[in-house]
Amino acid sequence: MIKILLAFLATACLLACPVLLILDQLYVSAGLGVTGIAIATWLLISTGEKKHE
């Protein structure tokens, strides 16, 4: 359940970035972009580790 919520959060962060750039919210957009990429990367790595165990 927690991974589904994190995946939704990562998607929301990455989808909000272009909208915030249009609104000239550069630092907020950059922060959400980095957060979204970090969450998505962690989810991919943790899913791959469980398949190899």
Side-chain angles (χ1 to χ4, degrees):
M1 181 69 178
I2 189 74
K3 288 189 179 185
I4 295 171
L5 292 174
L6 285 174
F8 179 74
L9 180 65
T11 304
C13 286
L14 293 175
L15 289 176
C17 286
V19 175
L20 290 171
L21 280 175
I22 291 170
L23 297 173
D24 285 335
Q25 298 293 323
L26 185 62
Y27 294 114
V28 177
S29 177
L32 284 177
V34 169
T35 303
I37 291 170
I39 292 171
T41 304
W42 178 79
L43 284 171
L44 288 172
I45 290 173
S46 66
T47 302
E49 286 177 350
K50 287 189 177 180
K51 286 185 179 180
H52 291 292
E53 287 181 356

